[in-house]
Amino acid sequence: MSIGRTSEAEPPRQAPEGTDPHRWWGLVVIALAQLMVVLDATIVNIALPSAQRALHMSDGNRQWVITAYTLAFGGLLLLGGRVADLVGRKRTFVIGLIGFAVASAFGGAATSSGMLFGARALQGAFAAVLAPSALSLLTTTFTDPRERGKAFGIYGALAGSGSAIGFIVGGLLTQYLNWRWCLYVNVPIAVLAVLGAFALLHDRPGHREARLDVPGVLLGCGGLVAIVYGFSEAQPRGWSDPLVLALFTAGAALLTAFVWWQNRAPSPLLPLHIIKDRNRAGCFLTMMLATIGMFGLFLFMTYYLQTVLGYSPVRTGLAYLPLTAAIITGSTQISARLLHRVAPRMLMTPGMVLAAGGMTLLTRMTVHSSYTTDILPALLLMGLGMGLTFMPVFATATSGVAARDAGVTSATVNTSQQVGGSIGTALLNTIATTSSAAYITARLRTGAPKALVVPAGVVHGYTIAIWWAAGVMLLAGLTAGLMVTARAPKHAAPADAPVPESVT
């Protein structure tokens, strides 16, 4: 019995890793940078109509304001994560912040659509360096199970609610200042984060003895870019378009070659033991499936609130506030308190079921739905479900990773999120528009008034797509329940215990 007591008293020996009195202020800096990256994926959505008018974009090209960012971000994340491991996470964190601020200023000053598209792509490229650096700094800073739970609770809340916060901030800036401030606002945030990084963050040196896997970069990043680009083009062109099919084929071929090469590369871009681990693979897949549904919700609800219910940009942004509050509550007040006591899947699976339940409630919405009775309960359920899920996903996926692989593991989590968001936006939007067109065509043939049929058809398309999103979220819950078998951190290995590297 004395042996058992001794082992239970051992966690304080992890204290040296967390004795830095400024570590919680360092978390503020990391969280600020992550919030900036996540909300920038959506902050320009509400500003897009104003930017389109100002820069004379065509309807076919306006999507590139969003796609240029997610394409560069999702496609280059693995490269950014490995660069962080080789060079040092604090250094790449600061470089990412500075580059993101410069790109944001460049976009805010855009005088043409091409200039704005280029700035958004540059933002995505620097975000691909910044995001994995932020998560891996968090991973190496907090190793005590209790502190780690709280830190990842805050981080998970920001990751889950950042997109919704983007809608709120975007609405306020667009309505009361100018659409350009949706980009300019990143500059002062980045400056504060850079100053905080120099003063508060500490990092282990990079592994300069390793080489950057150039063939892996070309194959992996090229494959991801082709896949994400294919999904972005599927919306305007259609799924059977030759270009879309060619992109998917090329992406699949490149990713297959990437996996083959990673088994043979002396310094692989993505060490395969990271994704061969059952728990990490389950977390990556759960994250991707969850964000497919979430990003689809943002797309439909934004258009529903503005075009069907007639909300202003600010009112639309504020409508997402309960969702944000619910995500933060679920992540920081429920998941963070329970993760060190219960297995991660005991949070992730119920979280996805709750989120799917919220989606199901939204399928009842009509042209005349009330926000208070029809929309709000669904958003609250969605938020709690996402908060329960995101925090244990981030904590479990990055737990027990060797220090040299922390950046690329963090990048893989973010890649799952970005690829899932891109797939969700394209897939669910295609389902919605196809269903709407079929509904409207059928009703117009019967002689029904067009003024009534069109809005009803649009909402019908949204509800069909939301049913699909609910199904995907249930699949995410099933994935978490079957694949993520990790125990509660208090019963598992220390958070800083390295995974074996002999697998590769």
Coordinates of all heavy atoms in Angstrom, one line a residue, residues 354-437:
L354 N -24.8 15.8 -28.5 CA -25.5 17.1 -28.2 C -25.5 18.0 -29.4 O -26.5 18.6 -29.7 CB -24.7 17.8 -27.0 CG -25.2 17.5 -25.6 CD1 -24.4 18.2 -24.6 CD2 -26.7 17.8 -25.4
A355 N -24.3 18.1 -30.0 CA -24.2 19.0 -31.2 C -25.1 18.5 -32.3 O -25.8 19.3 -33.0 CB -22.8 19.0 -31.7
A356 N -25.2 17.2 -32.5 CA -26.1 16.6 -33.6 C -27.6 16.9 -33.2 O -28.4 17.2 -34.1 CB -25.9 15.1 -33.7
G357 N -27.9 16.9 -31.9 CA -29.2 17.2 -31.4 C -29.6 18.6 -31.7 O -30.7 19.0 -32.2
G358 N -28.6 19.6 -31.5 CA -28.8 21.0 -31.9 C -29.1 21.1 -33.4 O -30.0 21.9 -33.8
M359 N -28.3 20.4 -34.2 CA -28.5 20.5 -35.6 C -29.9 20.0 -36.0 O -30.6 20.6 -36.9 CB -27.5 19.6 -36.3 CG -26.1 20.2 -36.4 SD -26.1 21.5 -37.7 CE -24.3 21.8 -37.9
T360 N -30.3 18.9 -35.4 CA -31.7 18.4 -35.7 C -32.8 19.4 -35.4 O -33.7 19.5 -36.1 CB -31.9 17.1 -34.9 OG1 -30.8 16.1 -35.1 CG2 -33.2 16.4 -35.2
L361 N -32.6 20.1 -34.3 CA -33.6 21.2 -34.0 C -33.7 22.2 -35.1 O -34.7 22.7 -35.4 CB -33.2 21.9 -32.6 CG -33.5 21.1 -31.3 CD1 -33.1 21.9 -30.1 CD2 -34.9 20.6 -31.2
L362 N -32.5 22.5 -35.7 CA -32.5 23.5 -36.7 C -33.2 23.1 -38.0 O -33.6 23.9 -38.8 CB -31.1 23.9 -37.1 CG -30.3 24.8 -36.1 CD1 -28.9 25.0 -36.6 CD2 -31.1 26.2 -36.0
T363 N -33.4 21.8 -38.2 CA -34.1 21.3 -39.4 C -35.6 21.7 -39.4 O -36.2 21.6 -40.4 CB -34.0 19.8 -39.5 OG1 -34.6 19.1 -38.4 CG2 -32.5 19.3 -39.6
R364 N -36.1 22.2 -38.2 CA -37.5 22.6 -38.2 C -37.7 24.1 -38.6 O -38.8 24.5 -38.6 CB -38.0 22.4 -36.7 CG -37.9 21.0 -36.2 CD -38.5 21.0 -34.8 NE -37.8 22.0 -33.9 CZ -38.3 22.3 -32.7 NH1 -39.4 21.7 -32.2 NH2 -37.7 23.2 -32.0
M365 N -36.6 24.8 -38.9 CA -36.7 26.2 -39.2 C -37.5 26.5 -40.5 O -37.4 25.7 -41.4 CB -35.4 26.9 -39.2 CG -34.4 26.6 -40.3 SD -32.8 27.4 -40.0 CE -32.0 27.0 -41.6
T366 N -38.2 27.6 -40.5 CA -39.0 28.0 -41.7 C -38.7 29.4 -42.0 O -37.9 30.1 -41.4 CB -40.5 27.8 -41.5 OG1 -40.9 28.8 -40.5 CG2 -40.8 26.4 -41.0
V367 N -39.4 29.9 -43.1 CA -39.2 31.3 -43.4 C -39.6 32.3 -42.3 O -39.1 33.4 -42.2 CB -40.0 31.6 -44.7 CG1 -39.9 33.1 -45.1 CG2 -39.5 30.7 -45.9
H368 N -40.5 31.8 -41.4 CA -41.0 32.7 -40.4 C -40.6 32.2 -39.0 O -41.2 32.6 -38.0 CB -42.5 32.7 -40.5 CG -43.1 33.1 -41.8 ND1 -42.9 34.4 -42.3 CD2 -43.7 32.4 -42.8 CE1 -43.4 34.5 -43.5 NE2 -43.9 33.3 -43.8
S369 N -39.5 31.5 -38.9 CA -39.1 31.0 -37.6 C -38.7 32.2 -36.6 O -38.2 33.2 -37.1 CB -37.9 30.1 -37.7 OG -38.2 28.9 -38.3
S370 N -38.8 31.9 -35.3 CA -38.4 32.9 -34.3 C -37.0 32.5 -33.8 O -36.8 31.3 -33.5 CB -39.4 32.8 -33.2 OG -38.9 33.5 -32.0
Y371 N -36.2 33.5 -33.7 CA -34.9 33.3 -33.2 C -34.9 32.7 -31.8 O -34.2 31.7 -31.5 CB -34.0 34.6 -33.2 CG -32.7 34.4 -32.6 CD1 -31.6 33.9 -33.3 CD2 -32.4 34.8 -31.2 CE1 -30.3 33.7 -32.7 CE2 -31.2 34.6 -30.6 CZ -30.1 34.1 -31.4 OH -28.9 33.9 -30.8
T372 N -35.7 33.3 -30.9 CA -35.7 32.9 -29.5 C -36.2 31.4 -29.3 O -35.6 30.7 -28.5 CB -36.6 33.8 -28.7 OG1 -36.2 35.2 -28.9 CG2 -36.6 33.5 -27.2
T373 N -37.2 31.0 -30.0 CA -37.8 29.7 -29.7 C -37.3 28.6 -30.7 O -37.3 27.4 -30.3 CB -39.3 29.8 -29.9 OG1 -39.7 30.2 -31.2 CG2 -40.0 30.7 -28.9
D374 N -36.8 29.0 -31.9 CA -36.4 28.0 -32.9 C -34.9 27.9 -33.1 O -34.4 26.8 -33.3 CB -37.1 28.3 -34.2 CG -38.6 28.2 -34.1 OD1 -39.1 27.3 -33.4 OD2 -39.3 29.1 -34.7
I375 N -34.2 29.0 -33.0 CA -32.8 29.0 -33.3 C -31.9 29.0 -32.0 O -31.0 28.2 -32.0 CB -32.4 30.3 -34.1 CG1 -33.4 30.5 -35.3 CG2 -31.0 30.3 -34.5 CD1 -33.3 29.3 -36.3
L376 N -32.3 29.7 -31.0 CA -31.4 29.8 -29.8 C -31.2 28.5 -29.1 O -30.1 28.2 -28.8 CB -32.1 30.9 -28.9 CG -31.3 31.1 -27.5 CD1 -29.9 31.6 -27.8 CD2 -32.1 32.1 -26.7
P377 N -32.3 27.7 -28.9 CA -32.0 26.4 -28.2 C -31.0 25.5 -29.0 O -30.2 24.8 -28.4 CB -33.4 25.8 -28.1 CG -34.4 26.9 -28.2 CD -33.7 27.9 -29.1
A378 N -31.1 25.5 -30.3 CA -30.2 24.7 -31.1 C -28.8 25.2 -31.0 O -27.9 24.4 -30.9 CB -30.7 24.8 -32.6
L379 N -28.6 26.5 -31.0 CA -27.2 27.1 -30.9 C -26.6 26.7 -29.5 O -25.4 26.4 -29.4 CB -27.3 28.6 -31.1 CG -27.7 29.1 -32.5 CD1 -27.6 30.6 -32.5 CD2 -26.7 28.5 -33.6
L380 N -27.4 26.8 -28.5 CA -26.9 26.4 -27.2 C -26.5 25.0 -27.1 O -25.4 24.7 -26.5 CB -28.0 26.7 -26.1 CG -28.3 28.2 -25.9 CD1 -29.5 28.4 -24.9 CD2 -27.1 29.0 -25.4
L381 N -27.3 24.1 -27.6 CA -26.9 22.7 -27.6 C -25.7 22.4 -28.5 O -24.7 21.7 -28.1 CB -28.1 21.8 -28.2 CG -29.2 21.5 -27.3 CD1 -30.3 20.7 -28.0 CD2 -28.7 20.7 -26.1
M382 N -25.6 23.1 -29.6 CA -24.4 23.0 -30.5 C -23.2 23.5 -29.8 O -22.1 22.8 -29.8 CB -24.6 23.8 -31.8 CG -25.4 23.2 -32.8 SD -24.4 22.1 -33.8 CE -23.2 23.2 -34.5
G383 N -23.3 24.6 -29.1 CA -22.1 25.2 -28.4 C -21.6 24.3 -27.3 O -20.4 24.0 -27.2
L384 N -22.5 23.8 -26.5 CA -22.1 22.9 -25.4 C -21.4 21.6 -25.9 O -20.4 21.2 -25.4 CB -23.3 22.5 -24.5 CG -23.8 23.5 -23.5 CD1 -25.1 23.1 -22.9 CD2 -22.8 23.8 -22.5
G385 N -22.0 21.1 -27.0 CA -21.4 19.9 -27.6 C -20.0 20.1 -28.2 O -19.1 19.3 -28.0
M386 N -19.9 21.2 -28.8 CA -18.5 21.6 -29.4 C -17.5 21.8 -28.3 O -16.4 21.4 -28.3 CB -18.6 22.8 -30.3 CG -19.3 22.5 -31.6 SD -18.4 21.4 -32.6 CE -19.4 21.3 -34.0
G387 N -18.0 22.5 -27.2 CA -17.1 22.7 -26.1 C -16.6 21.4 -25.4 O -15.5 21.3 -25.0
L388 N -17.6 20.5 -25.3 CA -17.2 19.2 -24.7 C -16.2 18.4 -25.6 O -15.4 17.6 -25.1 CB -18.5 18.4 -24.5 CG -19.4 18.7 -23.3 CD1 -20.7 17.9 -23.4 CD2 -18.7 18.5 -22.0
T389 N -16.3 18.6 -26.8 CA -15.5 17.9 -27.8 C -14.1 18.4 -28.1 O -13.1 17.7 -28.0 CB -16.2 17.7 -29.1 OG1 -17.5 17.1 -28.9 CG2 -15.5 16.9 -30.1
F390 N -14.0 19.7 -28.4 CA -12.8 20.3 -28.8 C -11.6 20.2 -27.8 O -10.5 19.9 -28.1 CB -13.0 21.8 -29.3 CG -13.6 21.9 -30.6 CD1 -14.5 22.9 -30.9 CD2 -13.2 21.1 -31.7 CE1 -15.1 23.0 -32.1 CE2 -13.8 21.2 -32.9 CZ -14.7 22.2 -33.1
M391 N -12.0 20.5 -26.6 CA -10.9 20.5 -25.5 C -10.2 19.2 -25.4 O -9.0 19.1 -25.5 CB -11.5 21.0 -24.2 CG -10.5 21.1 -23.1 SD -10.5 19.6 -22.1 CE -9.1 19.9 -21.1
P392 N -11.0 18.1 -25.2 CA -10.3 16.8 -25.1 C -9.6 16.3 -26.4 O -8.6 15.6 -26.3 CB -11.4 15.8 -24.7 CG -12.7 16.5 -25.0 CD -12.4 17.9 -24.9
V393 N -10.1 16.8 -27.5 CA -9.4 16.5 -28.8 C -8.1 17.1 -28.8 O -7.1 16.4 -29.1 CB -10.3 16.9 -30.0 CG1 -9.4 17.0 -31.3 CG2 -11.5 16.0 -30.2
F394 N -7.9 18.3 -28.5 CA -6.6 19.0 -28.5 C -5.7 18.4 -27.5 O -4.5 18.1 -27.8 CB -6.8 20.5 -28.3 CG -7.2 21.3 -29.5 CD1 -8.4 22.0 -29.5 CD2 -6.5 21.3 -30.6 CE1 -8.8 22.7 -30.6 CE2 -6.9 22.1 -31.7 CZ -8.1 22.8 -31.7
A395 N -6.2 18.2 -26.3 CA -5.4 17.7 -25.2 C -4.9 16.2 -25.5 O -3.7 15.9 -25.2 CB -6.2 17.7 -23.9
T396 N -5.8 15.4 -26.0 CA -5.4 14.0 -26.2 C -4.5 13.8 -27.4 O -3.6 13.0 -27.4 CB -6.7 13.1 -26.4 OG1 -7.6 13.3 -25.3 CG2 -6.4 11.7 -26.5
A397 N -4.8 14.6 -28.5 CA -4.0 14.5 -29.7 C -2.5 14.9 -29.5 O -1.6 14.3 -30.1 CB -4.6 15.3 -30.8
T398 N -2.3 15.8 -28.6 CA -0.9 16.3 -28.3 C -0.3 15.7 -27.1 O 0.9 16.1 -26.8 CB -0.9 17.8 -28.2 OG1 -1.8 18.2 -27.2 CG2 -1.4 18.5 -29.5
S399 N -1.0 14.9 -26.4 CA -0.4 14.3 -25.1 C 0.6 13.2 -25.4 O 0.4 12.4 -26.3 CB -1.5 13.7 -24.3 OG -1.0 13.1 -23.1
G400 N 1.7 13.3 -24.7 CA 2.7 12.2 -24.8 C 3.5 12.2 -26.1 O 4.1 11.2 -26.5
V401 N 3.6 13.4 -26.8 CA 4.3 13.5 -28.0 C 5.8 13.8 -27.7 O 6.1 14.7 -26.9 CB 3.7 14.5 -29.0 CG1 4.5 14.6 -30.3 CG2 2.3 14.2 -29.2
A402 N 6.7 13.2 -28.4 CA 8.1 13.6 -28.3 C 8.3 15.1 -28.6 O 7.6 15.6 -29.5 CB 9.0 12.7 -29.2
A403 N 9.2 15.8 -27.9 CA 9.4 17.2 -28.1 C 9.7 17.6 -29.5 O 9.2 18.6 -30.1 CB 10.5 17.7 -27.2
R404 N 10.4 16.7 -30.2 CA 10.8 17.0 -31.6 C 9.6 16.9 -32.6 O 9.7 17.4 -33.7 CB 12.0 16.1 -32.1 CG 11.6 14.7 -32.1 CD 12.7 13.8 -32.6 NE 13.2 14.2 -33.9 CZ 14.3 13.8 -34.5 NH1 15.2 13.1 -33.7 NH2 14.7 14.2 -35.7
D405 N 8.6 16.3 -32.2 CA 7.4 16.1 -33.0 C 6.2 16.9 -32.6 O 5.1 16.8 -33.1 CB 7.0 14.6 -33.1 CG 8.0 13.8 -33.8 OD1 8.7 14.3 -34.7 OD2 8.1 12.6 -33.4
A406 N 6.4 17.8 -31.6 CA 5.2 18.5 -31.0 C 4.6 19.5 -32.1 O 3.4 19.6 -32.2 CB 5.7 19.3 -29.8
G407 N 5.5 20.1 -32.9 CA 5.0 21.0 -33.9 C 4.2 20.4 -35.0 O 3.1 20.8 -35.3
V408 N 4.7 19.3 -35.5 CA 4.0 18.6 -36.6 C 2.7 17.9 -36.1 O 1.7 17.8 -36.8 CB 4.9 17.6 -37.3 CG1 5.2 16.4 -36.5 CG2 4.4 17.2 -38.7
T409 N 2.7 17.5 -34.9 CA 1.5 16.9 -34.3 C 0.4 18.0 -34.2 O -0.8 17.8 -34.5 CB 1.7 16.2 -32.9 OG1 2.8 15.3 -33.1 CG2 0.5 15.6 -32.4
S410 N 0.8 19.1 -33.6 CA -0.1 20.2 -33.5 C -0.6 20.7 -34.9 O -1.8 21.0 -35.1 CB 0.6 21.4 -32.9 OG 1.1 21.1 -31.6
A411 N 0.2 20.6 -35.9 CA -0.2 21.0 -37.2 C -1.2 20.0 -37.8 O -2.1 20.4 -38.5 CB 1.1 21.1 -38.2
T412 N -1.0 18.7 -37.5 CA -2.0 17.8 -38.0 C -3.4 18.0 -37.4 O -4.4 17.8 -38.1 CB -1.5 16.3 -37.6 OG1 -0.1 16.2 -38.1 CG2 -2.3 15.3 -38.3
V413 N -3.5 18.4 -36.1 CA -4.8 18.7 -35.5 C -5.4 19.9 -36.3 O -6.6 19.8 -36.7 CB -4.6 19.1 -34.0 CG1 -6.0 19.4 -33.4 CG2 -4.0 17.9 -33.3
N414 N -4.6 20.9 -36.5 CA -5.1 22.1 -37.2 C -5.5 21.8 -38.7 O -6.4 22.3 -39.2 CB -4.1 23.2 -37.1 CG -4.1 23.9 -35.8 OD1 -4.9 24.7 -35.5 ND2 -3.1 23.6 -35.0
T415 N -4.7 20.9 -39.3 CA -5.0 20.5 -40.6 C -6.3 19.8 -40.7 O -7.1 20.0 -41.6 CB -3.9 19.6 -41.2 OG1 -2.6 20.2 -41.2 CG2 -4.2 19.1 -42.6
S416 N -6.6 18.9 -39.7 CA -7.9 18.2 -39.7 C -9.0 19.2 -39.6 O -10.1 19.1 -40.3 CB -7.9 17.3 -38.5 OG -6.9 16.3 -38.5
Q417 N -8.8 20.3 -38.8 CA -9.9 21.3 -38.6 C -10.1 22.1 -39.9 O -11.2 22.3 -40.3 CB -9.4 22.3 -37.5 CG -10.5 23.2 -37.1 CD -10.1 24.1 -35.9 OE1 -8.9 24.3 -35.6 NE2 -11.0 24.6 -35.2
Q418 N -9.0 22.5 -40.6 CA -9.1 23.3 -41.8 C -9.7 22.5 -42.9 O -10.5 23.0 -43.7 CB -7.8 23.9 -42.1 CG -7.3 25.0 -41.2 CD -8.3 26.1 -41.0 OE1 -8.8 26.7 -42.0 NE2 -8.6 26.5 -39.8
V419 N -9.2 21.3 -43.1 CA -9.7 20.5 -44.2 C -11.1 20.1 -44.0 O -12.0 20.2 -44.9 CB -8.8 19.2 -44.3 CG1 -9.5 18.2 -45.3 CG2 -7.4 19.5 -44.8
G420 N -11.5 19.8 -42.7 CA -12.9 19.6 -42.4 C -13.8 20.8 -42.7 O -14.9 20.6 -43.3
G421 N -13.3 22.0 -42.4 CA -14.1 23.2 -42.7 C -14.3 23.4 -44.1 O -15.4 23.8 -44.6
S422 N -13.2 23.2 -44.9 CA -13.3 23.3 -46.4 C -14.2 22.3 -47.0 O -15.1 22.7 -47.8 CB -11.9 23.2 -47.0 OG -11.0 24.2 -46.5
I423 N -14.2 21.1 -46.5 CA -15.0 20.0 -47.1 C -16.5 20.4 -46.7 O -17.4 20.3 -47.5 CB -14.6 18.7 -46.5 CG1 -13.3 18.2 -47.1 CG2 -15.7 17.6 -46.8 CD1 -12.7 17.0 -46.5
G424 N -16.7 20.8 -45.4 CA -18.1 21.0 -45.0 C -18.7 22.2 -45.8 O -19.9 22.1 -46.2
T425 N -17.9 23.3 -46.0 CA -18.5 24.4 -46.7 C -18.9 24.0 -48.1 O -20.0 24.3 -48.6 CB -17.4 25.5 -46.7 OG1 -17.1 25.9 -45.4 CG2 -18.0 26.7 -47.5
A426 N -18.0 23.3 -48.8 CA -18.3 22.9 -50.2 C -19.4 21.9 -50.3 O -20.3 22.0 -51.1 CB -17.0 22.4 -50.9
L427 N -19.2 20.8 -49.5 CA -20.2 19.7 -49.6 C -21.6 20.1 -49.2 O -22.5 19.8 -50.0 CB -19.7 18.5 -48.7 CG -20.6 17.3 -48.6 CD1 -20.8 16.6 -49.9 CD2 -20.0 16.4 -47.5
L428 N -21.7 20.7 -48.0 CA -23.1 21.0 -47.6 C -23.7 22.1 -48.4 O -24.9 22.2 -48.6 CB -23.0 21.4 -46.1 CG -22.5 20.3 -45.1 CD1 -22.5 20.8 -43.7 CD2 -23.5 19.1 -45.2
N429 N -22.9 23.1 -48.9 CA -23.5 24.1 -49.7 C -24.0 23.5 -51.0 O -25.0 23.9 -51.6 CB -22.4 25.2 -50.0 CG -23.0 26.4 -50.7 OD1 -23.9 27.0 -50.1 ND2 -22.6 26.7 -51.9
T430 N -23.2 22.6 -51.6 CA -23.7 21.9 -52.8 C -25.0 21.2 -52.6 O -26.0 21.2 -53.4 CB -22.6 20.9 -53.3 OG1 -21.4 21.6 -53.6 CG2 -23.1 20.2 -54.6
I431 N -25.1 20.5 -51.4 CA -26.4 19.8 -51.1 C -27.5 20.8 -51.0 O -28.6 20.6 -51.5 CB -26.2 19.0 -49.8 CG1 -25.2 17.8 -50.0 CG2 -27.5 18.4 -49.3 CD1 -24.8 17.1 -48.7
A432 N -27.2 21.9 -50.3 CA -28.3 22.9 -50.1 C -28.8 23.5 -51.4 O -30.0 23.6 -51.6 CB -27.8 24.0 -49.1
T433 N -27.8 23.9 -52.2 CA -28.2 24.6 -53.5 C -29.0 23.6 -54.4 O -29.9 24.0 -55.1 CB -27.0 25.2 -54.2 OG1 -26.0 24.2 -54.3 CG2 -26.4 26.3 -53.4
T434 N -28.5 22.4 -54.4 CA -29.2 21.4 -55.3 C -30.6 21.1 -54.8 O -31.6 21.0 -55.6 CB -28.4 20.1 -55.3 OG1 -27.1 20.3 -55.7 CG2 -29.0 19.0 -56.2
S435 N -30.8 20.9 -53.5 CA -32.1 20.7 -52.9 C -33.0 21.9 -53.1 O -34.2 21.7 -53.4 CB -32.0 20.4 -51.4 OG -31.2 19.2 -51.2
S436 N -32.5 23.1 -53.0 CA -33.3 24.3 -53.2 C -33.8 24.4 -54.6 O -34.9 24.7 -54.9 CB -32.5 25.5 -52.8 OG -32.2 25.6 -51.4
A437 N -32.9 24.2 -55.6 CA -33.2 24.2 -57.0 C -34.3 23.3 -57.3 O -35.3 23.6 -58.1 CB -32.0 24.0 -57.8

